[in-house]
Amino acid sequence: MLTAEEKNRLAEIFRREEIRELTVATTQRISRETGLSIRAIEYFALEKGIVPRRYARSVGTFTLDGQKKLLQSRVMVVGLGGLGGYVLEELVRAGVGEIVGVDGDVFDETNLNRQLLAGERNLGGRKGEEAVKRAAEINGAVKVTGFSARVEHLPAAAWDGVELVFDCLDSIQARLFLEEKAESLGVPVIHGAIGGWYGQVGIVWPGNRLLTKIYREKKSGIEQALGNPPFTPAVAASYMVALGIKYLLGQSERENALYFFDLENMEFEKICF
Amino acid sequence: MKVEIRLFATFRNGRFKKEVWDLPEGTKVKDVLDRLGINPEEVAILLVNGLDADPERVLQDGDYISLFPPVGGG
């Protein structure tokens, strides 16, 4: 992330200013002075054992090395609606360094009951652009690239270096496309889907065709009748991000499983294939 | 023979959560679906004893069936 010369320069600044903890204000100032990115400065600090304060409550869970790994990671979030809004929010706050956000839609009033990125102020706004704005408000270390396009129409370059994909789509056809695309790239997919009080999450490992298995020729699910209430997306999204971060930290077991939850009855089922 | 039927999400509507049925030998999963009034097309995940199974599967005493509808929203 840094050249030897840049490291020396930062080491000099950290020594001179006796930096023991890194605040947002200090990071921003050093970035202005040196022209280096916030992310690079945070990464340097972590290498020196200094935890940027914004991650102070995370490192107990992730470890210092884990936090470094997250800052170096590049993931894609496909769909920036109910699931995607919360997934993006948590990834940005976690400090996952590069996020490619994909959604061809604009916000409308039916999104307001559940979509974190939707507000009265940005109705009609492109979801891909709103995602970039939201991320910039929260964590300047994270680079979000927004694509206002359907996943089927993404330019090839959008996939460069992506090591994990979050399936936050609402169309079964698009999900099956994503499964095939990710498989061709050898990249796992963190799948999530919701409808009413219910939801499911799981990891699609390259080759296991989990989505083909559960959706087969189906066009839609129970969400057509039940809709999507305010709380279900946040639950599914948090399970997804937990699965995703475990993967990025190298702590995932490769198993063909789907987790199904029912918030009406507070039930949780692990389904093995 | 006794077979336990476990229904999830919307499959419980107007039916039940869990029941044990006394079924004749040779009963297939699809016969159970028939009695439940569930079209195999409506089922996304069909498990026998917690593992992926087919509607043609012949049930054994002590088996349990789990049925989940498709969930696709985001």
Side-chain angles (χ1 to χ4, degrees):
Chain A
M1 204 175 285
L2 290 162
T3 65
E5 195 188 327
E6 289 165 341
K7 277 188 185 175
N8 287 338
R9 201 165 162 209
L10 283 176
E12 167 56 26
I13 293 171
F14 274 60
R15 205 164 34 239
R16 193 178 62 222
E17 301 189 13
E18 293 178 9
I19 293 171
R20 305 255 186 279
E21 60 169 30
L22 193 62
T23 63
V24 169
T26 303
T27 317
Q28 288 171 341
R29 178 175 50 75
I30 295 174
S31 175
R32 278 194 304 273
E33 284 172 13
T34 60
L36 296 170
S37 71
I38 302 278
R39 181 158 70 118
I41 296 162
E42 287 188 355
Y43 189 84
F44 176 82
L46 284 163
E47 275 195 323
K48 299 280 157 207
I50 299 165
V51 179
R53 280 187 53 77
R54 69 163 96 237
Y55 308 122
R57 298 293 180 271
S58 294
V59 288
T61 307
F62 299 158
T63 76
L64 219 91
D65 278 344
Q67 188 63 61
K68 263 166 61 185
K69 171 66 183 74
L70 295 182
L71 266 183
Q72 281 178 294
S73 296
R74 181 177 171 89
V75 305
M76 180 184 280
V77 181
V78 186
L80 296 165
L83 293 173
Y86 285 104
V87 165
L88 181 89
E89 180 86 7
E90 294 178 16
L91 293 174
V92 167
R93 290 187 187 274
V96 172
E98 289 185 44
I99 304 172
V100 182
V102 182
D103 199 312
D105 276 346
V106 297
F107 286 109
D108 75 45
E109 291 185 25
T110 67
N111 300 154
L112 288 170
N113 81 321
R114 69 191 188 287
Q115 299 192 12
L116 190 60
L117 295 170
E120 293 181 3
R121 179 180 52 76
N122 63 12
L123 291 172
R126 289 172 185 276
K127 294 184 178 183
E129 290 171 12
E130 296 301 323
V132 174
K133 285 187 211 163
R134 176 70 183 169
E137 282 171 15
I138 296 167
N139 191 345
V142 174
K143 185 182 165 206
V144 175
T145 310
F147 285 93
S148 298
R150 295 180 59 85
V151 64
E152 296 90 337
H153 303 143
L154 276 181
W159 300 92
D160 283 351
V162 169
E163 56 196 294
L164 183 66
V165 179
F166 290 83
D167 163 22
C168 305
L169 287 156
D170 60 1
S171 138
I172 290 174
Q173 263 185 322
R175 289 183 193 278
L176 295 174
F177 169 86
L178 184 59
E179 177 174 70
E180 207 176 310
K181 178 71 187 178
E183 183 175 303
S184 75
L185 299 169
V187 172
V189 176
I190 306 293
H191 162 73
I194 50 168
W197 299 91
Y198 318 105
Q200 64 190 27
V201 299
I203 304 185
V204 182
W205 298 98
N208 81 355
R209 294 284 170 124
L210 187 64
L211 303 185
T212 304
K213 201 182 274 284
I214 58 178
Y215 290 124
R216 297 188 194 96
E217 296 87 39
K218 293 180 175 58
K219 298 274 184 289
S220 63
I222 56 175
E223 70 284 354
Q224 290 300 312
L226 303 178
N228 294 304
F231 41 80
T232 315
V235 174
S238 291
Y239 280 125
M240 293 172 76
V241 173
L243 283 172
I245 284 187
K246 263 183 75 171
Y247 173 77
L248 293 173
L249 297 180
Q251 297 169 3
S252 292
E253 269 178 64
R254 187 173 173 141
E255 53 179 6
N256 298 326
L258 192 74
Y259 302 89
F260 192 96
F261 66 83
D262 171 344
L263 298 174
E264 194 178 14
N265 300 290
M266 293 297 164
E267 292 175 1
F268 190 79
E269 288 284 323
K270 180 179 180 181
I271 300 160
C272 296
F273 290 92
Chain B
M1 63 173 181
K2 301 257 197 279
V3 172
E4 188 175 290
I5 323 288
R6 300 178 186 178
L7 303 179
F8 292 87
T10 46
F11 285 153
R12 290 178 182 174
N13 298 345
R15 297 190 187 91
F16 54 86
K17 189 168 159 179
K18 190 158 83 176
E19 276 186 10
V20 177
W21 288 5
D22 210 343
L23 296 167
E25 296 293 326
T27 302
K28 292 180 175 179
V29 172
K30 68 174 184 185
D31 303 323
V32 172
L33 290 174
D34 224 29
R35 254 181 76 178
L36 287 164
I38 295 173
N39 184 329
E41 304 269 286
E42 292 174 63
V43 182
I45 302 165
L46 192 171
L47 309 173
V48 174
N49 305 329
L51 293 170
D52 198 23
D54 197 76
E56 293 297 329
R57 167 82 165 259
V58 178
L59 293 161
Q60 306 292 324
D61 186 46
D63 278 353
Y64 67 93
I65 304 177
S66 313
L67 300 172
F68 297 79
V71 177

